[in-house]
Amino acid sequence: MRTQNLKPVFAGLLSTLATLAIVASANSAQAVEVAFERDTNLPVVNLNIAVKAGAVTDPQGQSGITNFMGEMLLRGTKKHTKEQLDLALDQMGATLEVETRAEALILRGAVLASQVGPFLDIVNEIITQPRFPESEVKKLKSQIVSNLLEELGSDQALGGKRFTQFLFNGHPYGKPVMGNIRDVEKLTGDQIRKHYDALIKDKLLLVVGNGDANEGQIRSWADQLANVRPSAPGDRDFVEVPQPQNPEHRRLLIVDKADRTQTQISAGQIGMRMTDADFFPVFLGNHAFGGGSFSARLMVEIRVKRGWSYGANSYFKHGLKPRSWQVHLFPASKDTAQALALSLKMIEDLQKNGITKEEFEFSKRSLVNSAGFMYNTPKKRVENKLLERTLNLPDGFMKTYGPELAKVTLPQVNQALSTYLKPEKLSIAVLATAADMKEPLAKAAGVPLDQVVVQPYTEEKF
Amino acid sequence: MKPSPISQISKVCVLVPLLAVITAMAGSGCATKNLKTGHDASKAEVLPLVGTIQVHRYKLDNGLKVLVVEDHSSPTFAYQTWFRVGSRDENVGYTGLAHLFEHMMFKGTKSLKEGEFDRILEGAGAEGENAFTSRDYTAYVQEMPADKLDMIAKLESDRMLNLVVNDDSFKTEREVVQNERRFRTENSPDGLMYQEIFGLAFTKHSYHWPVIGYQEDLNRMSAANAVDFYKGYYSPNHATIIVVGDVKADAVHEMVKKYYGAFSPQQPPAPSIADEPEQKSARRKVLKLNIQVEKLMVGYHTPAITNADIPAIMALRGVLATGKSSRLQRALVETGIVSSVDAYDIDDKDPSLMLIGANLQKGKTATQAETIILREIARLSKELVSKGELDRAKNGLSFQFYQGLDNNHEKAGFLGRFETIANSFEDGVQKMKSVQIVTPEEIQRVTRKYFEPRNRSVIVGVKK
C-alpha cells in the first residue's frame, strides 16, 4: 500500500536520537553559540569554530583574504611561533585545519580526548592573539599561489570553479575561496589584520563539536572567547549578500585546455533557498532527474544506456541567498557535443513536462526512507548544525526533510519545476580543447558561435 | 550517493569504485553455480576491536566468513561484502577485469531485471550503495535502515550466485569504465604518476599494472571473460560479510546462513602471480604533463602487510610526514620548496610500496625536493629519532586510527580490509598496538633495510 510505504517511519525512529541544542553562553553579556554532543565511543573530540562570514566578504581586489586570514591564524600568536604551535598540536595528537566556504570560515579541530584541556588553551590563543608575522605572510602567499597553479592540473576542480565564476558573473558567490593569483600576491599584513578585526567577533562565532569531552568545559571556554572578541553595538549576526540573478539568455564558456580526451560539462542556473516554499517539491523533482540515484533520468540516459560518462548528476549549492543548481557530467571528447545536447534537451523537457507519476513515487519513497541518514551519526549532526547556523536555517531543519518530503504531491513538484527552471537562461561551461570543440559545442548549446566565450584555462578572467 | 543538502559533487569515489546500474538481457553468459545442502552451526568467536567494541566472528561450512559489530546508537547498519580478488589476480592482456567486473555486479540476476537491484535498495532508503576494487580485494558496500537486514542479505546473496552477464550491457559498461579511466588517469596528472610508479617499481608481479587496467586491454575484453571471472572468484569461500550497526549478531548469523548457507565453495583458478625480483638499482622516470608546477613521487619497496616490520615502517612514515611538525613538512613546506607533501603506506597483501608525494611551489624543481627527501631518509638511517619526535608520530597515527573507526561504514571497512588482506582484523588492531612500542632503534633498522637507494623508484612530473 503506497501510503503506508510512504510514511516517514524511519525519520520518526531517528528523531529519538541525541540532538545538538544551541545554547548561547549565559554568563556574559557577549554570546558565542555552542552546540556539543557528548559521544564516548572513541577517545576523540571534534571541535569546529565557525565564523559566520566567508569568501563573500572578500573586498574587491582582495579575493582569498578570508581564507588567507584563517590560515594565518595558525601561523603564530603573540606567545608562540608557527613552529611551536605545530609542535604542540602534533604532541597532543591533534589536527587543526582551515575550511573556507562562501559564507563561513571554519577552524576544524580534532584531538585525542586526553588532551582536550591543552588543546582548548592553544585554540583560544590562536583565535584571540594572532600575530600575522610578515615572514609567514610571504610564505603563505607562495604556498597558496602554488596551490592555485597546481589546481590547474585538475580538470574537475578547474571546470567547477570556472563554471561558478561564469554563472555568478561578478556576484560575490562567484569569488573563488582561495582567491586568484593576482589578488593573493598583493595582500598585505594590514589588510589581513583589518579583515580579522571585522570578522572575528562573538556574534559571528559559533562552536560546534562532538566527542568524549565535558560539555560544560566547552561552554566555559566559549565564554572566554566571547569576552575577548565582543561585537560592537549594531554588528550583524550574518553578512549581507546581494541577490544573484540569472543572465538574460543562455551562455556558453569554453575553458580551453589542450590534449583533452575527456571534457568537464557544467550547466546550471541560480538556485533556491532551502527555506523557499518550492524547495522540497523542486528537491524531489531534482532527485528524479539527476540527484544521486542510479535510477535517475540523467544517469540512465547518459551513463546506463549510452556509456557516455562515468557520472551524470544534478545538484544544488545553498547559501544565505539562492546559489546554484547545476548539472555535471564528464564524457569523452568524442561524445561531448551529443552528451551536452541531450542533457540540455532533458532539462527543457523537465521544465515543460515535469516528472512522471512513477518517478515521483519512487523518488519520494527513496528520499523519505533515507532521510534518517542525514543525521544518524554525531559527525553528521555536527555538520547539520554548522549548516543551519551559517546559512540561517531554523534549528533542526535537516530533520524536517523526511516529514516535508512526505507531504509533497506530484502536481506541486511539476508546478514548481515549471516555474523554477530556466532552460533559456542556463550558463554552460565546458572544459575542453577549443580548437576541436567550439563549433559542435555552440551548436549543441544553441548559442551563436560568435557569442561563445573561449577562455584559456590558465587565465583568471572573472 | 544520496542527496545532500549542500552542493555535492559527483558520485565518484576513491580507489576504483563504482556503482553501476543495469540493463538486462539475454544472449549471453549466465553464470551457473552449484548448490549444496546443509548449514554451519558454528559458534561465534567474540573478539575486542577497541574500547568496549566487540566483534563476533562466524564461519560457515562453505567457507564464508561473517563479522558482526553491534552498535545500537542509531537504527541503521552497514552491510559490506568483501571478496578476496583484485587486479593482482588478473592476467597479462586482461588488466582491469576485476574492476570492470565489479561494475557488472550491479547488472541483473536470474530473478531481477537490470536496474531492479538499485531500485529496490534506493526505494528502501539505502545509503552509500557503492563498490570498490583494489589490487587485492573487491568490496560492495551500503548502509541500510535497521529493518532491512533480510532484504539486503537476500539481494547480496542473489548476486553472489545468480548474476547474469550479457554482451550488450558489458559493452556499455566497458565504455563507462573507459570514461572512468580517462577521468582518473589519462586526464589526471596525479593519476598518471600513480600508474607510472607502480609500473616502474614492479616488473613481474601483477602490482605492475593499474587496477583500472590499460585501455587496450579493456577493448579486448568480452562478456565471456567476465563470466569466467565470476565463476572463478565469486563464491562464499572467497568472501567475508561485515555487518556493523543496529543488529543482533546471532540474528545476522542466522540470516546469512539462510541466504548463503547452501552455496558451494568454488575452487579458484590456480594462482599465477609472479614474485617480484629484488630491485638492483634506483629507477627514475620523467613524465611530461599538462601542469604548471612540478610534481614528485618517490616509492620504496616495503614488505607485505603481515610482516613484523610494518609497525616500524608506519612509525617511520609518521616521523617523516604525519603532522605539520614532521620532518618533511618542515624541510619542504616550511622552506617554500613544496606546497604539499605526504607519505602513504600502501596496505597490500604482497610486498608493495611506501610512497612520498609532493607538489612543488612555483619556480622550484622536483629535483630539489627529491634531494631533500633523500637527505631526510639518509638522516633516519644515521641518527636515532628523539623520543619526543617519535611520540608525536605515534600520537598522530593513533588519532588517524581512531578517526578511521568513526562510524558503521568506517568500522566495517577496517574489518573487511584486514580480514581480506591479512586474514584477520586482529592483525590491524595489533599493528596499531605495536606502533606504540616501536623504538628509535627499530626505525633506524627498517630505514637501513628498506629505504636504501637500490630499492627506490622515482617519478618526476614536469610541465609539457
Side-chain angles (χ1 to χ4, degrees), chain B residues 135 190-191 193-202 296-302 313 316-318 320-321 328 341-348 352-358 373 377 451 455-459:
Chain B
R135 284 177 279 275
D190 291 328
M193 292 188 62
Y194 188 75
Q195 172 180 293
E196 290 300 319
I197 199 156
F198 275 88
L200 188 65
F202 290 91
L296 176 71
M297 197 170 276
V298 180
Y300 285 90
H301 285 282
T302 48
I313 293 172
L316 177 154
R317 192 255 294 170
L320 278 179
L328 293 182
V341 61
D342 216 334
Y344 313 89
D345 305 316
I346 305 293
D347 289 344
D348 281 335
S352 189
L353 299 176
M354 191 187 96
L355 297 178
I356 300 168
I373 289 169
I377 287 172
F451 293 78
N455 217 13
R456 183 176 72 233
S457 298
V458 176
I459 301 292

Side-chain angles (χ1 to χ4, degrees), chain A residues 82 90 142 150 293 303 318, chain B residues 5 18-19 295 325 334 361:
Chain A
K82 177 178 188 295
D90 284 348
S142 175
E150 201 270 333
S293 161
R303 175 174 160 150
H318 293 294
Chain B
L18 216 251
L19 278 189
K295 287 175 176 284
S325 68
E334 293 305 318
Q361 291 208 20

Side-chain angles (χ1 to χ4, degrees), chain A residues 14 17 82 90-91 139 142 146 150 261-262 292-294 303 307-308 310 313 316-318 366 369 457, chain B residues 1 5 7 9 12 18-19 21 73 75 122-123 173 175 179 183 186-187 292 295 325 334 361-362 395:
Chain A
L14 282 169
L17 291 169
K82 177 178 188 295
D90 284 348
Q91 191 64 49
K139 277 163 60 179
S142 175
S146 300
E150 201 270 333
T261 60
Q262 184 178 54
S293 161
F294 269 76
R303 175 174 160 150
W308 279 347
Y310 176 52
N313 58 350
F316 284 97
K317 285 185 179 179
H318 293 294
S366 175
N369 283 338
Y457 80 102
Chain B
M1 186 178 290
S7 57
I9 331 303
V12 274
L18 216 251
L19 278 189
V21 189
S73 60
E122 288 172 5
E173 206 57 37
E175 184 69 22
N179 274 315
F183 172 65
E186 276 180 31
N187 293 272
Q292 303 297 316
K295 287 175 176 284
S325 68
E334 293 305 318
Q361 291 208 20
K362 183 182 174 185
N395 280 346

Side-chain angles (χ1 to χ4, degrees), chain B residues 238-445:
Chain B
H238 261 80
T240 303
I241 292 171
I242 318 283
V243 184
V244 179
D246 192 15
V247 293
K248 292 286 187 188
D250 286 342
V252 172
H253 182 217
E254 289 305 313
M255 192 74 77
V256 171
K257 281 201 298 185
K258 174 183 167 186
Y259 284 111
Y260 298 84
F263 295 4
S264 290
Q266 302 287 325
Q267 186 65 32
S272 59
I273 302 167
D275 287 337
E276 182 62 26
E278 196 176 338
Q279 189 168 326
K280 301 289 187 190
S281 60
R283 298 171 187 164
R284 198 163 190 277
K285 186 171 182 179
V286 176
L287 292 184
K288 290 186 176 176
L289 300 168
N290 211 331
I291 53 177
Q292 303 297 316
V293 285
E294 294 194 0
K295 287 175 176 284
L296 176 71
M297 197 170 276
V298 180
Y300 285 90
H301 285 282
T302 48
I305 188 71
T306 50
N307 189 288
D309 285 341
I310 288 290
I313 293 172
M314 291 167 71
L316 177 154
R317 192 255 294 170
V319 169
L320 278 179
T322 298
K324 290 179 183 172
S325 68
S326 62
R327 292 191 176 190
L328 293 182
Q329 283 283 332
R330 297 220 66 79
L332 289 168
V333 180
E334 293 305 318
T335 53
I337 292 169
V338 308
S339 58
S340 63
V341 61
D342 216 334
Y344 313 89
D345 305 316
I346 305 293
D347 289 344
D348 281 335
K349 188 179 177 70
D350 289 344
S352 189
L353 299 176
M354 191 187 96
L355 297 178
I356 300 168
N359 291 314
L360 275 293
Q361 291 208 20
K362 183 182 174 185
K364 306 293 183 189
T365 67
T367 308
Q368 286 175 278
E370 185 182 355
T371 303
I372 290 170
I373 289 169
L374 301 189
R375 186 191 73 200
E376 290 299 329
I377 287 172
R379 221 179 111 206
L380 282 173
S381 75
K382 287 178 195 151
E383 302 167 12
L384 294 177
V385 298
S386 70
K387 183 179 181 303
E389 190 175 16
L390 186 53
D391 285 347
R392 285 198 301 277
K394 289 176 179 177
N395 280 346
L397 293 168
S398 272
F399 175 76
Q400 289 172 0
F401 173 70
Y402 289 125
Q403 289 285 66
L405 296 173
D406 180 60
N407 54 47
N408 292 342
H409 173 79
E410 298 285 349
K411 285 190 191 85
F414 172 82
L415 295 172
R417 193 166 67 255
F418 276 95
E419 283 288 313
T420 307
I421 61 175
N423 212 32
S424 85
F425 78 86
E426 299 97 303
D427 185 85
V429 175
Q430 184 55 46
K431 270 185 185 29
M432 281 315 302
K433 289 180 181 167
S434 300
V435 164
Q436 295 305 319
I437 54 171
V438 165
T439 63
E441 288 77 11
E442 284 175 295
I443 289 185
Q444 187 176 57
R445 180 182 60 77

Side-chain angles (χ1 to χ4, degrees), chain A residues 63-80:
Chain A
S63 70
I65 193 171
T66 303
N67 178 64
F68 202 102
M69 181 270 285
E71 292 284 354
M72 282 302 299
L73 294 178
L74 310 181
R75 287 176 176 249
T77 66
K78 291 179 180 158
K79 295 180 187 165
H80 295 101

Side-chain angles (χ1 to χ4, degrees), chain A residues 179-405:
Chain A
N180 62 46
I181 292 172
R182 188 179 54 241
D183 289 350
V184 169
E185 283 181 332
K186 286 189 300 188
L187 290 176
T188 67
D190 284 346
Q191 289 170 335
I192 295 160
R193 269 184 284 277
K194 190 175 164 194
H195 205 62
Y196 168 84
D197 285 335
L199 262 53
I200 308 297
K201 294 179 175 180
D202 67 337
K203 283 174 87 171
L204 288 175
L205 290 174
L206 168 72
V207 176
V208 184
N210 71 287
D212 190 3
N214 181 313
E215 188 180 342
Q217 184 182 14
I218 307 294
R219 292 189 188 284
S220 303
W221 175 80
D223 281 342
Q224 294 171 22
L225 273 187
N227 287 330
V228 179
R229 299 299 305 173
S231 301
D235 280 351
R236 300 175 60 89
D237 292 343
F238 290 94
V239 294
E240 291 255 41
V241 184
Q243 185 85 9
Q245 301 292 335
N246 280 311
E248 289 300 311
H249 52 79
R250 189 180 283 188
R251 301 178 303 149
L252 172 63
L253 167 71
I254 299 177
V255 181
D256 186 18
K257 192 172 186 183
D259 306 332
R260 298 300 88 193
T261 60
Q262 184 178 54
T263 66
Q264 294 285 332
I265 299 176
S266 296
Q269 63 171 74
I270 299 303
M272 170 179 278
R273 273 279 291 170
M274 280 190 273
T275 48
D276 190 296
D278 278 343
F279 173 68
F280 286 108
V282 172
F283 182 82
L284 199 154
N286 176 66
H287 183 267
F289 181 70
S293 161
F294 269 76
S295 309
R297 277 187 196 181
L298 267 176
M299 203 56 146
V300 169
E301 293 298 325
I302 299 288
R303 175 174 160 150
V304 178
K305 288 186 182 173
R306 296 171 174 84
W308 279 347
S309 177
Y310 176 52
N313 58 350
S314 58
Y315 54 92
F316 284 97
K317 285 185 179 179
H318 293 294
L320 285 166
K321 290 289 190 299
R323 280 184 74 188
S324 63
W325 173 81
Q326 63 202 75
V327 167
H328 177 236
L329 56 155
F330 36 110
S333 296
K334 65 184 172 63
D335 299 321
T336 294
Q338 294 179 88
L340 175 60
L342 178 61
S343 303
L344 295 174
K345 185 173 176 300
M346 289 174 69
I347 296 171
E348 289 163 9
D349 181 65
L350 182 68
Q351 190 270 337
K352 192 174 169 188
N353 300 313
I355 62 173
T356 66
K357 184 166 180 284
E358 187 192 356
E359 287 174 321
F360 168 76
E361 288 170 353
F362 172 73
S363 289
K364 184 168 177 174
R365 188 168 66 249
S366 175
L367 287 170
V368 170
N369 283 338
S370 65
F373 280 107
M374 293 175 71
Y375 49 88
N376 68 322
T377 68
K379 264 196 176 169
K380 287 182 189 174
R381 293 191 283 274
V382 163
E383 294 310 310
N384 290 343
K385 188 55 68 184
L386 281 169
L387 263 192
E388 287 170 10
R389 304 312 290 164
T390 57
L391 298 187
N392 197 18
L393 300 168
D395 277 340
F397 182 79
M398 299 306 163
K399 281 189 148 188
T400 67
Y401 268 65
E404 289 298 326
L405 288 162

